[in-house]
Amino acid sequence: MNRRYRKTIIAGNWKMNKTATEGKVLLDEIKASVGKAKWCEIVACVPAVDIPMAVKALKDSRIAVGAQNLHYEPSGAYTGEISASMLKDLGVKYVIIGHSERRQYFGETDVTVNKKVHAALEAGLHPIVCVGESLEQREMGITNDLISVQVKSAICGVPADKIRRIVFAYEPIWAIGTGKTATSEQANEVCEHIRTIIRKQFGARTARAVTIQYGGSMNAKNAHDLLAQPDVDGGLIGGASLKSADFVTIVNAANQE
Ligand code: PEP
């Protein structure tokens, strides 16, 4: 982390968990325990149907509401889909784009990720763009090449002045929901690589200001070491975000430097 130059962001990704009733209980617990946590931005990326509840429950708190997906078209005949402006209108601030589960199960590609990034920025949302390699790709030694393609295609056509509004999340697929975590060094290495891509394209000032999270079985035990890395500016947390005590421990682990 480097809080002098960029925001630290701890975001929970609830995935398809928690009804609105259950989610309200979790958010009330988190809200009561994080208190004034000023050292980082806290985000709850809840299921779409939980958003109105979350916005209401988190009103007057320091916790922002995030969505887990959007459609890139502004409106139209896309049954079952939700647009960026619909999310914005509800009070959503962040939106996860290109999570590996969406790439794997719902046909999300680097092209649709790019369209969604544009749609989110256009509506005034902050995209959390997920990138990451499979175990096979890591073992083949092509992690950085793959990350370069994912990052460059996600931000293709995004003007320089909007890059800082994007949050990147390095999420090795082999670490998501598996209990296997990247070592702090592996996490930092790829986060640093992402920053280098931004620096080459947009210069040092922009690269220095961009938040790059790590995600992949981050939990109450390993968060401190991962967040101590210079280029890891926070976490995107799945499983551990569903338990208030664990999530709050991770938020508190971001209070270092
Ligand atoms: C995620 O869903 O983005 C994630 C990192 O999940 P987990 O923390 O459960 O590995």
Side-chain angles (χ1 to χ4, degrees), residues 182-192 225-226 229:
T183 63
S184 302
E185 292 71 26
Q186 285 171 327
N188 194 65
E189 204 173 276
V190 181
C191 290
E192 189 184 6
D225 287 351
L226 285 160
Q229 296 294 315

Side-chain angles (χ1 to χ4, degrees), residues 239-255:
S241 72
L242 298 173
K243 294 179 206 119
S244 57
D246 289 3
F247 188 66
V248 172
T249 302
I250 297 171
V251 168
N252 289 332
N255 187 17

Side-chain angles (χ1 to χ4, degrees), residues 13 15 99 101 171 175-178 215-218 236-239:
N13 173 16
K15 312 193 187 196
H99 191 281
E101 287 152 15
E171 297 213 304
I176 297 178
T178 58
S217 300
M218 189 186 269
L236 182 57
I237 297 121

Side-chain angles (χ1 to χ4, degrees), residues 95-124:
V95 57
I96 298 173
I97 295 177
H99 191 281
S100 64
E101 287 152 15
R102 294 216 56 89
R103 294 182 193 251
Q104 187 181 348
Y105 305 128
F106 302 102
E108 198 113 314
T109 64
D110 287 340
V111 174
T112 56
V113 167
N114 175 252
K115 288 181 179 181
K116 290 182 179 196
V117 167
H118 280 277
L121 290 171
E122 192 66 32

Side-chain angles (χ1 to χ4, degrees), residues 11-194:
N13 173 16
W14 291 8
K15 312 193 187 196
M16 195 174 72
N17 292 295
K18 304 286 177 192
T19 62
T21 309
E22 293 163 348
K24 167 94 170 59
V25 176
L26 178 58
L27 287 177
D28 284 346
E29 284 171 11
I30 293 172
K31 205 168 65 165
S33 317
V34 291
K36 291 198 171 40
K38 289 199 182 105
W39 48 87
C40 66
E41 172 104 335
I42 307 166
V43 186
C45 296
V46 303
V49 292
D50 291 4
I51 289 172
M53 170 283 293
V55 170
K56 196 168 166 212
L58 298 175
K59 195 169 165 276
D60 304 323
S61 83
R62 294 203 58 262
I63 308 169
V65 178
Q68 300 174 12
N69 184 33
L70 50 65
H71 194 276
Y72 50 79
E73 291 295 344
S75 62
Y78 302 99
T79 303
E81 293 292 331
I82 298 170
S83 73
S85 61
M86 290 172 183
L87 296 175
K88 180 73 180 169
D89 182 64
L90 284 179
V92 167
K93 185 169 177 188
Y94 291 88
V95 57
I96 298 173
I97 295 177
H99 191 281
S100 64
E101 287 152 15
R102 294 216 56 89
R103 294 182 193 251
Q104 187 181 348
Y105 305 128
F106 302 102
E108 198 113 314
T109 64
D110 287 340
V111 174
T112 56
V113 167
N114 175 252
K115 288 181 179 181
K116 290 182 179 196
V117 167
H118 280 277
L121 290 171
E122 192 66 32
L125 298 168
H126 293 268
I128 300 177
V129 176
C130 301
V131 295
E133 82 288 3
S134 66
L135 189 57
E136 292 74 22
Q137 289 161 335
R138 174 160 281 270
E139 285 170 354
M140 281 159 68
I142 59 169
T143 297
N144 281 358
D145 296 326
L146 187 97
I147 298 293
S148 297
V149 170
Q150 290 179 336
V151 170
K152 286 180 188 175
S153 27
I155 61 176
C156 185
V158 174
D161 63 323
K162 292 214 170 117
I163 291 294
R164 289 166 194 232
R165 299 219 341 250
I166 302 175
V167 177
F168 294 89
Y170 166 52
E171 297 213 304
I173 298 168
W174 48 272
I176 297 178
T178 58
K180 276 189 206 146
T181 317
T183 63
S184 302
E185 292 71 26
Q186 285 171 327
N188 194 65
E189 204 173 276
V190 181
C191 290
E192 189 184 6
H193 176 65
I194 295 171

